[in-house]
Amino acid sequence: QLQLVESGGGLVQPGGSLRLSCTVSGPSGFSLEPYVVGWFRQAPGKEREGVSLDKTSAMFRSYADSVKGRFTFSRDNASNTVHLRMTDLKAEDTAIYYCAVGTTYSWASSRFDYWGQGTQVTVSS
C-alpha cells in the first residue's frame, strides 16, 4: 500500500503562481521511480480531469492543453516526491488537485491505483 500526501494549495490572485507537492510513502525500500505519477483536478460540478502525467522522469511527460506552457511537472525520486509548478494561474484553474500513482501511462483516472487526499487551489482576486 502506498500513501500520498499533497501540499501547497491555497488562494492566489489571477496571474500568480503556486507549487504543489506530493510525497509518496510505501513499504521499506519503496521507490517511486518505476511508477507513473499523475496530477488531476476536479472543479465544482465538473468531472475529474488530468493535468499532467509523468513516467521515468520526463522520458514520458504530458500536459493537458489547458495548462501547457504554464504548468511544470518535476520529480525527485530520491525523496519520492513530485511537484507541480503552476504559473499564470487563471480563475478556471480553481479546483481540488490530486496526485495519483499507477503503472499505466493514461489520462484515465481509473487506471491509477493510489490517490492523495487533494489540495484546494483557488484563483481569485
Side-chain angles (χ1 to χ4, degrees), residues 23-35:
T23 299
V24 184
S25 60
S28 177
F30 166 76
S31 171
L32 186 60
E33 185 171 3
Y35 289 88

Side-chain angles (χ1 to χ4, degrees), residues 27-108:
S28 177
F30 166 76
S31 171
L32 186 60
E33 185 171 3
Y35 289 88
V36 176
V37 181
W39 283 99
F40 293 80
R41 66 186 182 186
Q42 187 164 20
K46 294 189 176 181
E47 292 189 356
R48 189 171 297 186
E49 64 174 353
V51 175
S52 183
L53 299 177
D54 179 85
K55 178 179 179 181
T56 322
S57 297
M59 289 184 65
F60 302 93
R61 183 170 289 170
S62 303
Y63 297 94
D65 287 343
S66 59
V67 307
K68 204 170 291 184
R70 300 187 298 121
F71 289 13
T72 304
F73 187 112
S74 61
R75 178 196 285 246
D76 179 356
N77 287 322
S79 63
N80 291 331
T81 301
V82 300
H83 304 284
L84 185 69
R85 175 68 174 168
M86 307 185 296
T87 64
D88 190 23
L89 283 161
K90 307 175 188 299
E92 52 264 40
D93 294 317
T94 296
I96 300 174
Y97 284 71
Y98 300 89
C99 65
V101 171
T103 56
T104 302
Y105 197 80
S106 170
W107 287 112

